[in-house]
Amino acid sequence: MHEPEDGRGRGGWRWLWTPSSPALGRWLLVLGLLLGGLGLWAAGRPAPEEPAAEGPRSAVRIRPSSSDERERILARALDLWSERPDLAALDVVLDAEGLAWLREQGVGFELLVADVDAVAWAERMRLAQAELARPTPEQWFSEYRDLETIHAYLDTLAATRPDLARVETIGRSLEGRPLRALRIHGHGTPRLRMLVDGGLHAREWISMMVGTCVADRLVRGYARDERLRRFLDEVELVVLPVSNPDGFVHSWERDRYWRKNRRGDHGVDLNRNFGVAWGGDGSSDNPRSQVYRGEAPFSEPEAAAIRDLVVAEGFGAHIDLHSYGQLLLHPWSYTRKRSSDHARLSTLATGMAAAIKAQHGERYRLMPGESLYPAAGTLMDWIYGEQRTMSFVIELRPRGGTGFVLPPEQIVPTCDEGLAAVLSLGEALR
Ligand code: 0X9
Ligand code: ZN
C-alpha cells in the first residue's frame, strides 16, 4: 500500500437497494435482509451499523499514465486496496463523484466491484445463515469463520493430536484478546523452526483461513500421509492464524474493509510497525493513513508479541500470509537494494511458486517486495533483517476480482496453495 489519501475507509454497512432494482428483486432483498438480520440476532452478534444512504462506493483498477496522475487519483481515493507491478495498476475505492471525476479527466478504468458495501453486506447475510448451522469437520473450511470459532478450532486440533500440537498464547492485543498460536511438531528433534502467520491486516480474511487450514492439514494428515509425517518430524511449525484479533473482530462486526489494529479511533498498520527501517518510504505519520506506522517501532502490542516470539524461537523460515494479488514477495520491502541473500530467496520463492502452480494451475508472481512498492517497517523485513530468517509475504487469491471478499468456495483451493508453499519452503530448508 502506498501512502494514500488519508485512508479514511468510510466504513460501516451500506444499503443494498438501488432505485433501478425491479420490485420483485426488492422484495426478495428485504426478505433476505430480514432473515439475515434474524440470523445476526440469533447468533448474538451486534448488528452492523445502520447502512448509509449515500451512493455506492466502487472498486476500480486504474493504470495511471504518469506519476502525477497517480498521485491525483490517490488523493481522490477513499481507500487503496492494492498496487500491482504490471503497468503500475492501482486498485482504489471511489464514490460516484470520484468515478465521474475519472471520466471527466479521461482516465480509463476497469470496474472491479460496482458496490463494495453491497458485496460486504451480501457476505454478512450469507454468514449469518451459516453461523446458525454447526459445521461438521468436513464443512469447516467451506465458509469463513470468526475469531472465536477459529480460536476454538485450534483447541480442537490440539485435542485431536495432543502429541503433535499445542495451543499457546504469545501475547495480547490492545483490547486484551489473546494472540493464540498452534505449535506443531512430530517426533524427534526438529531441524528447522518455521513461523506462519495470517491476519496482520484485518480485512484479509482468506489469510486467517489459510493459516488455520494449513495447521489442520498437518495435524490431521500426520497419521496417514507419509510426506506430512516426514515434514513434521523435521520441522517445528508455529501457526499464528490471527495476528490482529481486534481488527478482525471489527472487520466482522462493523467495517468489512478495516485494515489496521484498533489503536485510538484510527488504528495502526501493524505491517509498518516493525523495527527495521521504521518510518521510511511507504509508511505514514498520519494516523488516518491506511499505512500509519504508529508512534514508535513496536508501539503496538501485537507487533511486540510477534517480536518477542521471534527473538525467543529463532525461526529459520517464515511466511506472512496476506491478500490479495497472487504474489510471492521476499526482502527487501523498504529498499531497492538487493538483499545479500537475493539469489537464495528468489530460488526458494521460485520453488514455492512452482508448488503452488502444481495445485490448481494458478500463477503467483514473485519479486522483492520493493518492486511492488516500497513499504518500511514490515514484519518480513524485520524478521529477515533481525535474524536472517528466510522470510516471505504471500499475497493469496484473488488476482483482482472482488478483492478481499473472496467467495468461500475458494478457501480450500487457496489452502492447497498455502500448504504447498509451506511444504516447499520447509523441505528446501530442513
Ligand atoms: O502493504 C503491505 O503491507 C502488504 N500488502 S497488502 O496489500 N496485504 O497490504 C505487502 C508488504 C510487502 N512489501 C512490499 N510490498 N514492499
Ligand atoms: Zn496485507
Side-chain angles (χ1 to χ4, degrees):
M1 304 256 322
H2 172 274
E3 157 63 37
E5 84 299 330
D6 64 359
R8 283 149 297 178
R10 282 185 306 170
W13 297 92
R14 253 144 256 273
W15 196 233
L16 195 56
W17 182 81
T18 58
S20 57
S21 306
L24 177 65
R26 243 174 4 241
W27 279 111
L28 285 174
L29 192 65
V30 168
L31 190 66
L33 291 176
L34 283 173
L35 286 172
L38 190 66
L40 282 169
W41 172 76
R45 190 178 295 292
E49 277 164 19
E50 185 69 11
E54 308 145 39
R57 304 188 305 152
S58 309
V60 294
R61 179 163 290 179
I62 307 174
R63 296 188 168 81
S65 54
S66 65
S67 56
D68 193 49
E69 184 174 280
R70 184 175 183 283
E71 292 312 313
R72 280 187 290 125
I73 294 164
L74 286 171
R76 192 87 202 198
L78 301 170
D79 193 1
L80 174 60
W81 275 12
S82 177
E83 300 185 68
R84 294 183 54 90
D86 38 356
L87 298 167
L90 288 178
D91 295 353
V92 290
V93 175
L94 292 164
D95 57 15
E97 276 172 28
L99 286 188
W101 174 81
L102 281 184
R103 289 194 188 97
E104 269 163 37
Q105 304 278 312
V107 178
F109 62 86
E110 178 194 331
L111 191 64
L112 292 177
V113 187
D115 185 338
V116 297
D117 301 295
V119 166
W121 183 256
E123 179 188 56
R124 180 92 289 274
M125 293 301 109
R126 193 192 75 228
L127 286 166
Q129 300 302 316
E131 278 171 34
L132 295 176
R134 285 198 166 271
T136 63
E138 289 67 40
Q139 292 166 336
W140 206 88
F141 293 97
S142 65
E143 188 51 277
Y144 291 91
R145 306 295 170 193
D146 63 11
L147 180 72
E148 209 186 311
T149 312
I150 290 177
H151 278 176
Y153 198 73
L154 299 182
D155 289 325
T156 305
L157 287 177
T160 310
R161 289 298 305 253
D163 57 325
L164 297 179
R166 88 169 170 259
V167 178
E168 293 174 12
T169 296
I170 66 144
R172 293 204 167 257
S173 68
L174 198 64
E175 292 176 348
R177 295 188 175 85
L179 294 162
R180 303 191 88 209
L182 197 69
R183 185 183 296 272
I184 315 168
H185 177 57
H187 302 297
T189 312
R191 293 149 57 117
L192 174 72
R193 291 209 159 77
M194 186 166 174
L195 172 66
V196 175
D197 74 281
L200 211 50
H201 290 142
R203 61 194 177 182
E204 299 166 11
W205 290 11
I206 186 62
S207 72
M208 297 74 157
M209 293 306 293
V210 167
T212 311
C213 179
V214 165
D216 174 82
R217 294 278 178 92
L218 289 168
V219 170
R220 297 200 305 125
Y222 184 84
R224 55 170 187 266
D225 185 318
E226 173 61 32
R227 183 182 180 197
L228 298 183
R229 186 156 59 245
R230 257 203 84 197
F231 182 86
L232 276 188
D233 285 345
E234 294 180 339
V235 180
E236 184 179 75
L237 201 77
V238 176
V239 180
L240 174 66
V242 190
S243 311
N244 175 12
D246 301 346
F248 189 42
V249 167
H250 190 71
S251 173
W252 266 76
E253 295 184 349
R254 294 285 157 194
D255 177 358
R256 176 64 181 82
Y257 299 102
W258 186 262
R259 167 181 168 93
K260 300 183 278 183
N261 78 349
R262 293 294 297 152
R263 169 75 67 187
D265 62 357
H266 48 75
V268 169
D269 182 356
L270 295 175
N271 209 23
R272 300 296 182 276
N273 192 239
F274 286 81
V276 159
W278 181 86
D281 274 2
S283 74
S284 172
D285 62 0
N286 175 358
R288 285 156 69 93
S289 164
Q290 287 285 44
V291 289
Y292 175 51
R293 57 185 168 245
E295 294 213 319
F298 302 111
S299 57
E300 304 313 297
E302 299 86 355
I306 296 174
R307 173 198 61 199
D308 296 345
L309 173 78
V310 167
V311 168
E313 300 281 331
F315 295 107
H318 166 237
I319 295 179
D320 184 18
L321 298 167
H322 287 254
S323 73
Y324 59 98
Q326 299 188 194
L327 302 165
L328 258 159
L329 309 174
H330 57 81
W332 297 105
S333 261
Y334 81 98
T335 173
R336 247 191 214 159
K337 273 195 325 230
R338 282 200 159 195
S339 70
S340 48
D341 296 291
H342 182 87
R344 190 155 179 245
L345 287 161
S346 49
T347 304
L348 291 167
T350 307
M352 285 191 268
I356 288 173
K357 185 148 186 278
Q359 296 301 308
H360 302 286
E362 288 295 324
R363 275 169 49 96
Y364 282 51
R365 294 182 53 179
L366 52 112
M367 67 196 75
E370 205 280 342
S371 305
L372 191 60
Y373 51 85
T378 64
L379 170 58
M380 172 175 80
D381 276 5
W382 179 77
I383 294 197
Y384 172 68
E386 173 80 13
Q387 304 202 327
R388 288 291 176 263
T389 303
M390 295 294 109
S391 178
F392 301 86
V393 162
I394 305 185
E395 299 281 359
L396 298 161
R397 294 187 189 193
R399 206 188 301 281
T402 44
F404 304 108
V405 183
L406 182 69
E409 305 75 54
Q410 294 202 35
I411 297 170
V412 168
T414 312
C415 171
D416 296 336
E417 292 163 359
L419 179 66
V422 167
L423 294 178
S424 161
L425 181 61
E427 287 171 353
L429 291 173
R430 72 187 172 193

